[in-house]
Amino acid sequence: MSDRYNENGNPDEQDLEQEEGVREEGQEKTEDKKDASVTANAGKSANSEYEDVCFICRRPESKAGKMFKLPNNICICNDCMHKTMETVSQFDYQGMLNNPQFQNELDQLSKQGGFPNMGGFPNISFVNLADLQGDGGIPNKQKLKKKKKKEGETPVLNIRDIPAPHKIKASLDEYVVGQEHAKKVISVAVYNHYKRVATGTMDNIEIEKSNMLMIGPTGSGKTYLVRTLARLLDVPLAIADATSLTEAGYIGDDIESVVSKLLAAADNDVEKAERGIIFIDEIDKIAKKKNTNTRDVSGESVQQGMLKLLEGAEVEVPVGANSKNAMVPLATVNTRNILFICGGAFPDLEEIIKERLTKSASIGFNSELRDKYDKDRNILSRVTVEDIRKFGMIPEFIGRLPIIYTLEGLTKEMLVKILKEPKNAILKQYQKLLELDEVKLEFTEDALEAIADKAMERDTGARALRSIIEDFMLDIMYEIPKDDNIGRVTITKEYIQGTGGPVIAIRSNLLPEPPRLLEDGGAQ
């Protein structure tokens, strides 16, 4: 009889106690290892800057809850795991195992080291988890940053840090010439908007959002004004183009893509993006199409889809992409505190305004000539909501843009100022380029006026100035590096008009004259 049993044939109690002690000690070690691994993983996730995203439904951990960790840093949320188990439990395993072809392929599995093509389940392919490198194949730009825990109710913006409207306008004056009314309107609107964001509600009175509609001819500085404003305020800015927007389900950008661009500009920080500025350019391109029998997928339907964004709603936008798909995580952004500025040239709007203004023209003493407003360069300043509605914008869309203002058409005097006065004026840029070659560049006043006259003929606003200067500076920029003796180049009116050339001075002529000795030996 074995030593493990006593005389009566029963197991020895001392041996059993020793076995139970060894077994309990082994279980404790295993549990300690599990606890250590869980603690390590928890420490990694706690210290990580990003939160986990479900590999199947793409929801972040803050939305889906606790994740199941799989090999290769793949995370599955609780809902997707349950759905997967329910789906798997519905298969007929007995029918699969009784399939002779499947049995033969199972026998080959250990020999080949791969997954067979199951006869019982055609068109099934398996994913090798080793092929998914990194965090589930998700690049860092498509991860979601964790939201920082708020310590108390501290306002996001301090109202004392918001510059006053006159300071905002003074900063804009350094970069933008003219457009006094537009700069005043945008300064007050932005100041009121950020007071609203900083204070939330004041005495239970909710302040409405001050979205803006900017109308101005091409080259008048609409985009430049907004870009300069965002740089001065140091807030996230997204500049989107309305021409690429289409109704959901059609080829093109979804309407939510404008918010996705703002989220990317804020480094995927949702809280920072929710107080940014979105400038939608070419807004006149989504006007209702006239005399069309096809579905207007890029016109009125886009306006209707944008109503919820302008009003303020929670929208789910893709992170790091323009369109939603299965491999892109989604973030929820509230557009309630996002300032929307829409801008457009609105071509042919002048004709609509003229038609309204000259409607009373008739025969008699009080009649007006039909060509009375033909030479009025600021005809857009007479625009009304009715004119914009007749252009093709729906009333609901116009109603969500309460501030409507226009930019002036550029005059000859304004074009001359644009050439030389702003901080980064075009002439200063070329003077800086030639300074690197140790050459001084100068312009006469007549030359500046000649450039402005040519720009007025092209009728493309400030954009014409750059193209004109590029034309006549080409030969100068090409020839100057050839000769090191050139010290100064003066652009004249004759050179701009093509009847003469620039005045070039040699370095020896630019040196100061040596002091002449006087008769008494002193220096003059």
Side-chain angles (χ1 to χ4, degrees):
M1 187 176 291
S2 174
D3 296 337
R4 295 169 57 94
Y5 296 89
N6 54 20
E7 297 176 354
N8 298 326
N10 296 324
D12 193 354
E13 294 181 359
Q14 185 175 0
D15 291 339
L16 289 177
E17 289 177 359
Q18 289 179 357
E19 288 182 4
E20 289 179 0
V22 171
R23 191 180 301 114
E24 290 176 358
E25 185 178 355
Q27 290 178 353
E28 289 177 359
K29 289 182 178 179
T30 305
E31 291 176 357
D32 290 342
K33 289 181 180 179
K34 289 182 179 179
D35 294 339
S37 62
V38 170
T39 306
N41 292 331
K44 286 181 181 178
S45 60
N47 296 329
S48 175
E49 188 181 359
Y50 299 94
E51 58 181 332
D52 295 328
V53 178
C54 177
F55 191 74
I56 297 177
C57 68
R58 317 308 300 166
R59 291 187 299 168
E61 191 175 8
S62 58
K63 293 279 184 183
K66 192 175 180 181
M67 299 280 184
F68 290 95
K69 308 287 184 180
L70 298 182
N72 264 40
N73 296 326
I74 295 177
C75 303
I76 307 294
C77 69
N78 193 25
D79 295 338
C80 292
M81 182 63 77
H82 281 294
K83 290 178 183 178
T84 305
M85 298 307 295
E86 289 175 1
T87 305
V88 170
S89 64
Q90 295 174 1
F91 283 116
D92 182 13
Y93 292 110
Q94 295 299 325
M96 179 179 68
L97 295 175
N98 292 332
N99 188 346
Q101 183 180 355
F102 177 71
Q103 290 291 343
N104 295 332
E105 291 179 347
L106 278 181
D107 295 337
Q108 299 174 1
L109 176 61
S110 58
K111 300 177 182 179
Q112 298 176 356
F115 290 100
N117 184 12
M118 297 183 181
F121 295 90
N123 299 326
I124 291 181
S125 60
F126 289 87
V127 177
N128 189 1
L129 296 180
D131 295 337
L132 300 172
Q133 299 296 330
D135 295 340
I138 309 170
N140 284 337
K141 68 177 182 179
Q142 293 185 2
K143 291 183 182 179
L144 292 180
K145 281 192 174 182
K146 291 182 179 179
K147 287 189 176 182
K148 297 179 181 178
K149 295 182 179 179
K150 298 180 180 178
E151 298 178 358
E153 290 295 329
T154 57
V156 180
L157 291 173
N158 188 358
I159 196 169
R160 296 180 180 177
D161 297 336
I162 304 174
H166 68 278
K167 293 183 179 179
I168 298 176
K169 183 180 177 300
S171 300
L172 291 174
D173 287 338
E174 297 179 359
Y175 294 92
V176 183
V177 173
Q179 314 296 357
E180 297 298 320
H181 177 67
K183 287 188 287 191
K184 187 181 295 184
V185 171
I186 199 171
S187 301
V188 173
V190 168
Y191 179 67
N192 289 338
H193 173 72
Y194 281 102
K195 276 199 299 186
R196 171 179 176 270
V197 173
T199 57
T201 57
M202 302 171 65
D203 299 332
N204 296 324
I205 298 176
E206 186 175 353
I207 305 173
E208 290 295 332
K209 196 164 48 166
S210 53
N211 295 327
M212 290 177 273
L213 176 60
M214 191 188 310
I215 302 174
T218 178
S220 58
K222 299 183 293 294
T223 309
Y224 186 68
L225 191 64
V226 177
R227 188 182 290 117
T228 304
L229 179 70
R231 185 170 68 246
L232 296 174
L233 294 177
D234 192 22
V235 296
L237 168 70
I239 298 179
D241 199 344
T243 53
S244 61
L245 299 179
T246 56
E247 189 180 356
Y250 289 84
I251 296 176
D253 291 339
D254 292 336
I255 298 169
E256 291 84 2
S257 65
V258 297
V259 185
S260 181
K261 290 181 180 179
L262 180 65
L263 187 62
D267 295 330
N268 294 341
D269 188 346
V270 175
E271 290 185 5
K272 190 176 178 183
E274 286 180 348
R275 59 176 188 269
I277 298 175
I278 294 179
F279 177 62
I280 305 177
D281 204 359
E282 308 292 347
I283 198 68
D284 52 302
K285 303 303 184 291
I286 61 171
K288 288 195 293 185
K289 306 297 185 293
K290 299 179 178 64
N291 302 324
T292 178
N293 296 324
T294 58
R295 185 175 176 84
D296 195 5
V297 298
S298 62
E300 182 181 357
S301 56
V302 176
Q303 295 184 50
Q304 293 173 350
M306 290 182 64
L307 297 181
K308 62 177 182 177
L309 294 183
L310 299 174
E311 186 80 18
E314 289 191 354
V315 293
E316 288 194 348
V317 297
V319 179
N322 287 334
S323 59
K324 299 176 183 177
N325 57 67
M327 297 301 295
V328 176
L330 301 177
T332 303
V333 179
N334 192 338
T335 63
R336 179 176 170 271
N337 290 330
I338 296 177
L339 180 64
F340 285 87
I341 303 175
C342 300
F346 288 85
D348 300 331
L349 183 62
E350 296 94 338
E351 302 301 325
I352 297 175
I353 299 173
K354 289 176 186 177
E355 182 182 349
R356 174 176 56 83
L357 292 175
T358 59
K359 191 177 292 184
S360 60
S362 60
I363 300 175
F365 291 104
N366 296 325
S367 64
E368 296 179 353
L369 297 176
R370 289 191 177 272
D371 60 351
K372 176 182 178 181
Y373 301 101
D374 286 350
K375 295 183 179 180
D376 189 357
R377 297 192 62 84
N378 292 324
I379 187 69
L380 283 176
S381 61
R382 300 170 180 263
V383 69
T384 61
V385 174
E386 180 64 24
D387 297 328
I388 302 174
R389 189 196 62 77
K390 196 171 181 180
F391 183 84
M393 313 304 287
I394 60 176
E396 301 94 320
F397 185 82
I398 305 171
R400 285 165 173 79
L401 299 169
I403 301 176
I404 300 175
Y405 59 98
T406 59
L407 276 73
E408 306 171 11
L410 299 180
T411 62
K412 179 180 176 181
E413 292 76 15
M414 293 174 66
L415 290 173
V416 173
K417 290 182 179 179
I418 291 172
L419 281 171
K420 59 181 182 179
E421 287 188 2
K423 270 191 173 182
N424 55 347
I426 306 173
L427 300 187
K428 294 179 181 178
Q429 297 177 27
Y430 278 95
Q431 287 172 345
K432 183 66 177 178
L433 283 174
L434 289 181
E435 275 183 15
L436 299 176
D437 290 331
E438 298 180 355
V439 177
K440 191 175 182 181
L441 178 65
E442 295 179 352
F443 290 82
T444 63
E445 286 296 326
D446 293 341
L448 298 181
E449 292 182 2
I451 296 173
D453 288 334
K454 282 197 169 187
M456 293 287 289
E457 294 174 2
R458 298 194 181 187
D459 199 22
T460 55
R463 291 188 179 93
L465 296 174
R466 181 85 191 196
S467 61
I468 293 170
I469 294 179
E470 288 279 358
D471 289 340
F472 69 76
M473 286 295 294
L474 175 64
D475 292 335
I476 296 176
M477 303 292 286
Y478 181 78
E479 298 292 339
I480 280 179
K482 290 183 180 180
D483 192 353
D484 294 336
N485 295 323
I486 298 177
R488 182 175 62 202
V489 177
T490 304
I491 305 298
T492 61
K493 177 181 178 180
E494 291 75 20
Y495 179 55
I496 301 297
Q497 294 178 344
T499 59
V503 178
I504 297 177
I506 306 301
R507 294 184 188 277
S508 59
N509 297 334
L510 299 177
L511 295 176
E513 295 182 3
R516 291 178 295 172
L517 296 178
L518 300 178
E519 294 180 357
D520 57 357
Q524 185 177 0

